Amino acid sequence: MEPFVRHTGTVVPLIRDNVDTDAIIPKQFMKSIERTGFGAHLFDAWRYRDEGYYGKPASERVVNTEFVLNEPAYADGSILLTGRNFGCGSSREHAPWALFQYGFRVLIAVSFADIFFNNCCKNGLLPIALPEDVISELAGYASEKRGSSLTVDLDSRLVLLPCGRTFEFYIPDSQRHALLEGLDEVGATLLHSPEIREFERRRMEMCPWL
C-alpha cells in the first residue's frame, strides 16, 4: 500500500447524504476476480444516462454532462467532499477500490459508515469526518472557485485552504499510523516475521507431532 502523508488536489463537491456502496460501484460491475478496473465504473448510474453493464465499451456510453465528475473543472479531482453516512449499504471493499482507482485520495464527509471507513484506511484512501458547518464552508469554496484545491496533512491532522484557514480532524492513531507507513493488515503482520518464525520454531520443538 502506498504511504499517505500529505496530499494537495482538486476538490469535487458531491454533497449528498446516504451515498451507498451500490451507488459508488454498482453490483453489475463486480464480476472481475481482479482488484483492478473498478474506477471506470465509479458512480456509473450518475455519470451516464444509459444503463451500463460489465464489458460495455466506454465509447458507447451516454455521458451525463450535468454530473459533477463530468464537469471539466473537476476532471482531475482527487478530494471528494460529501455529506452524511457516506459508504453505507453493503460491506463491499470494491467501493474504496473504485474511488481510489478513479483517482481520489481523500474523502471528506460529515460522517461515514463504519465498515466503509475501515476499508478506506486499509486501501490507502484517507476518510476525514468534519462538522456539517465546515463541510458547508468547504462546499461553498469548491463551488465558487471551481477546480480549486486544498491540502490535507495527515501527520498534523489538518485540512488547509490556500487562504490560510485550517481545520483539524480526528483519525484513530492505529489507522493514522497504518496510512502514514503504507501498511495494510498483511503488511503490518509481516513486520513481525522474525517473531512469527521464532514462535513456529519453538512450537515445533515443543510439539513435533503437530
Side-chain angles (χ1 to χ4, degrees), residues 63-131:
V63 175
N64 177 7
T65 56
E66 296 178 1
F67 185 58
V68 64
L69 286 190
N70 293 328
E71 295 184 29
Y74 303 115
D76 63 346
S78 59
I79 299 175
L80 185 68
L81 190 65
T82 187
R84 300 187 187 88
N85 199 28
F86 189 79
C88 59
S90 78
S91 60
R92 65 186 69 164
E93 199 170 3
H94 305 70
W97 295 352
L99 286 157
F100 189 91
Q101 290 168 16
Y102 180 85
F104 286 110
R105 295 295 176 268
V106 180
L107 310 175
I108 303 177
V110 178
S111 61
F112 295 92
D114 289 343
I115 294 175
F116 176 82
F117 184 95
N118 289 324
N119 283 340
C120 286
C121 294
K122 293 174 184 176
N123 287 280
L125 191 59
L126 174 60
I128 296 173
L130 289 173

Side-chain angles (χ1 to χ4, degrees), residues 188-202:
T189 301
L190 291 176
L191 290 178
H192 300 282
S193 293
E195 293 95 326
I196 294 170
R197 282 194 293 271
E198 175 61 16
F199 171 82
E200 289 296 329
R201 186 190 66 75
R202 286 189 281 108

